[in-house]
Amino acid sequence: MPRKVITGFSNPTVKFVRSLREKKHRRLAGKFLVEGLRLLTDAREGGRLPEMLLMAQGRDEHPLLAELERAVEAAGGEVIELPIDLLAKVTGKDNPQAVAGVFAEWDTRLARIDRTAAPIWLVAQAMRDPGNLGTMLRTADAVGAGGLILLDDCVDPFSVEAVRASMGGIFTVALAQARWEEFEGWLRQAEGQLVAASLREAQPYRGAPYAAPCFVMVGNESQGLPEAYEMACDLRVTMPMKGRADSLNAAVAAAVLAYEVLAAVER
Amino acid sequence: MPRKVITGFSNPTVKFVRSLREKKHRRLAGKFLVEGLRLLTDAREGGRLPEMLLMAQGRDEHPLLAELERAVEAAGGEVIELPIDLLAKVTGKDNPQAVAGVFAEWDTRLARIDRTAAPIWLVAQAMRDPGNLGTMLRTADAVGAGGLILLDDCVDPFSVEAVRASMGGIFTVALAQARWEEFEGWLRQAEGQLVAASLREAQPYRGAPYAAPCFVMVGNESQGLPEAYEMACDLRVTMPMKGRADSLNAAVAAAVLAYEVLAAVER
């Protein structure tokens, strides 16, 4: 299949891809943009291919890129070449990566989650920072968690910043989005321990009786978890706070706790 | 002392404070900008007062702000009132906090560090992300670390983003900046265990023989630590990586490791 070549900034495809930097356009199209060969390769190896592959003219050849291109074409996707400065405009980066891809968003309903698939799950409530959200996806991958469940109004997990910070985690672990009420109902339908880092009637996080499947929950960056959510937990644990601050960064708290849970459920 | 009132955008003080958003101007002036009553109160309680306090007209009164104002005046600092939209322009925020302060940077030479003051120290090498750097300051505070030592070319710890992410940690823990060679020489002048998260001849991070004062080192976000730095460590430890990724976010790795060290040195 001959590649499509685009050279003009006013091209509708260029305008469309560029629009995906904004959440409202991602929502409308149900698609998102991913930059860089590394992330695109993580996606392919995680079973996801871009519907559209954008490659800069004059790029260095790379076997992984050739493989990606073949896979996209075999799956009926579109492969487009364009000048590097046009790719820079599309991605909004001064030094763009030589390749980018447009993916269809996938189903993130809670019903898609199989809790028996992993001993640990991460849960973030009203998370506002895309870097924190992406970091939690990265941590979920590292601790062998099944995925990340986003509660209430979180920042868009398909934003460029979140995808980048996830370091491929967006493609390798499951992702679900739900309101608290829905999550609580779903959680209690089967076995599952809900754990939060908390200051309320909490026990030390080390050596606490964690049990798989364990759902490790952290709250909004500035508000923390609503009291009702904490009280609904099976276990509230507290990490030492030796200094003046009374909390950790949300993604850091999730990771410290998740590694402790991992040690416990592996014993 | 009557407060100075500024109303015009072309005022030299406004221009000066605004310039502190850029690193080169911070370096020239040796000063940095801090936004918000919470951070300014952390600073005051940590023994640092702004040389200049900027307060929005029509702000809500607050006892902590009144206390801060008195302290700044008593120390011979300047207190300035200005319209909220002018403060927005100074800080570059659409919804500025009602108060900001200009601080003199302090001495961050390694010679200022007293390693016997704490059992744990964090070390970051060539860290590029201000959010990660600030998060490490916040974590340092939480684990009771003496402070953060920045090696080689790190992002500016006095940037607005780093200060904000530190959640006051910039004021509550020590900060040093040095080249690796200088740090290594200093470290070996006295007792101190250098530990890095590593994949090279590393042992499991849990239950490793940590010893105070323990220096927990993480490397650049994309390159990791140079091999020579890792080989100079007294202890190399590895955290489980259950998924496809081979590393954690640098600030996350530092925190998971630091909490493990804390548990060990407290035993």
Side-chain angles (χ1 to χ4, degrees):
Chain A
M1 190 165 74
R3 286 177 200 152
K4 196 166 154 187
V5 175
I6 291 178
T7 54
F9 189 59
S10 59
N11 179 285
T13 300
V14 167
K15 283 187 175 166
F16 166 70
V17 177
R18 190 178 147 87
S19 78
L20 297 179
R21 287 192 280 160
E22 286 173 52
K23 181 175 177 178
K24 67 175 176 186
H25 292 293
R26 288 195 297 275
R27 276 304 82 76
L28 273 171
K31 300 188 196 302
F32 68 107
L33 183 66
V34 172
E35 298 167 40
L37 183 57
R38 182 172 173 161
L39 274 174
L40 287 164
T41 298
D42 285 340
R44 181 172 58 78
E45 294 181 4
R48 308 251 180 213
L49 286 171
E51 297 183 341
M52 187 189 291
L53 183 65
L54 301 154
M55 304 192 299
Q57 289 165 345
R59 66 192 173 278
D60 294 332
E61 291 304 325
H62 194 293
L64 286 173
L65 181 52
E67 213 170 319
L68 180 65
E69 193 188 337
R70 276 194 300 274
V72 171
E73 283 182 343
E78 206 170 359
V79 178
I80 293 172
E81 284 199 333
L82 69 180
I84 186 83
D85 61 332
L86 201 52
L87 191 55
K89 279 183 180 149
V90 166
T91 61
K93 299 269 265 315
D94 287 341
N95 296 303
Q97 308 236 28
V99 58
V102 175
F103 288 77
E105 293 181 4
W106 45 83
D107 186 351
T108 58
R109 279 172 302 165
L110 206 45
R112 306 273 300 180
I113 298 287
D114 170 16
R115 74 178 77 190
T116 65
I120 305 177
W121 295 82
L122 301 188
V123 184
Q125 187 262 340
M127 182 158 267
R128 300 310 306 160
D129 183 90
N132 281 343
L133 195 155
T135 298
M136 284 191 72
L137 285 165
R138 183 177 183 180
T139 299
D141 176 271
V143 298
L148 174 63
I149 298 168
L150 301 176
L151 300 182
D152 302 341
D153 295 317
C154 287
V155 68
D156 183 10
F158 295 109
S159 71
V160 170
E161 298 78 12
V163 169
R164 192 185 301 132
S166 84
M167 293 291 282
I170 186 90
F171 298 113
T172 60
V173 302
L175 178 70
Q177 300 181 288
R179 308 298 307 179
W180 165 255
E181 295 73 22
E182 187 195 347
F183 171 70
E184 200 186 10
W186 173 86
L187 180 71
R188 298 311 179 195
Q189 282 166 18
E191 221 178 343
Q193 181 190 51
L194 186 58
V195 178
S198 167
L199 302 171
R200 294 185 183 98
E201 301 168 46
Q203 56 184 289
Y205 84 111
R206 284 184 85 90
Y210 302 109
C214 181
F215 293 81
V216 174
M217 180 167 67
V218 294
N220 171 266
E221 286 91 342
S222 49
Q223 309 296 323
L225 286 168
E227 184 173 353
Y229 296 20
E230 286 196 11
M231 296 322 286
C233 286
D234 300 295
L235 192 59
R236 286 175 293 282
V237 296
T238 183
M239 278 159 290
M241 289 287 149
K242 298 283 181 183
R244 284 187 34 79
D246 59 3
S247 68
L248 292 164
N249 166 279
V252 162
V256 171
L257 194 42
Y259 267 98
E260 190 64 24
V261 172
L262 176 63
V265 298
E266 280 196 323
R267 259 198 299 267
Chain B
M1 187 166 73
R3 287 177 199 151
K4 195 165 154 187
V5 176
I6 291 178
T7 54
F9 188 60
S10 59
N11 179 286
T13 301
V14 166
K15 283 187 175 168
F16 166 70
V17 177
R18 189 177 149 86
S19 79
L20 297 178
R21 287 192 281 160
E22 286 173 52
K23 180 174 178 178
K24 68 175 177 186
H25 292 293
R26 288 196 297 274
R27 275 307 81 75
L28 273 171
K31 299 188 197 302
F32 68 106
L33 181 66
V34 172
E35 299 168 38
L37 183 56
R38 182 170 172 164
L39 274 174
L40 288 164
T41 299
D42 285 340
R44 181 173 59 79
E45 294 181 3
R48 308 256 181 209
L49 285 171
E51 297 182 343
M52 185 189 294
L53 183 65
L54 301 154
M55 303 190 300
Q57 288 164 346
R59 66 192 172 278
D60 294 332
E61 292 301 327
H62 193 293
L64 286 172
L65 182 53
E67 213 170 317
L68 180 65
E69 194 188 336
R70 278 195 300 274
V72 171
E73 283 181 341
E78 207 171 357
V79 178
I80 293 172
E81 282 199 334
L82 70 179
I84 185 82
D85 61 332
L86 201 52
L87 191 55
K89 280 184 179 150
V90 165
T91 61
K93 298 269 266 312
D94 286 341
N95 295 302
Q97 308 235 28
V99 57
V102 175
F103 289 77
E105 292 181 3
W106 46 84
D107 185 350
T108 58
R109 279 173 302 164
L110 208 44
R112 305 274 300 180
I113 297 288
D114 171 14
R115 73 179 78 190
T116 65
I120 305 177
W121 295 82
L122 300 188
V123 183
Q125 185 261 340
M127 182 158 267
R128 300 312 305 162
D129 184 272
N132 280 343
L133 196 154
T135 298
M136 284 191 72
L137 286 165
R138 183 177 182 181
T139 299
D141 176 272
V143 298
L148 174 64
I149 298 168
L150 301 176
L151 300 183
D152 303 340
D153 295 316
C154 288
V155 68
D156 183 9
F158 296 110
S159 71
V160 169
E161 298 78 14
V163 170
R164 192 186 301 134
S166 84
M167 292 290 282
I170 186 90
F171 297 113
T172 59
V173 303
L175 179 70
Q177 300 180 287
R179 308 300 305 181
W180 165 255
E181 295 71 23
E182 186 195 349
F183 170 70
E184 200 185 10
W186 173 85
L187 179 72
R188 299 310 179 194
Q189 283 166 16
E191 221 178 342
Q193 181 191 50
L194 186 58
V195 179
S198 167
L199 300 172
R200 296 184 183 95
E201 300 169 45
Q203 58 184 290
Y205 85 111
R206 286 185 83 91
Y210 302 109
C214 181
F215 293 80
V216 174
M217 179 166 67
V218 294
N220 172 266
E221 287 91 343
S222 47
Q223 310 296 324
L225 286 168
E227 183 172 354
Y229 296 21
E230 285 196 11
M231 297 322 286
C233 285
D234 301 295
L235 192 59
R236 286 175 294 281
V237 296
T238 183
M239 279 160 286
M241 289 286 149
K242 298 284 180 183
R244 283 188 36 80
D246 59 2
S247 68
L248 293 164
N249 165 280
V252 163
V256 171
L257 194 42
Y259 267 98
E260 190 63 24
V261 173
L262 177 63
V265 299
E266 280 196 323
R267 262 197 296 266

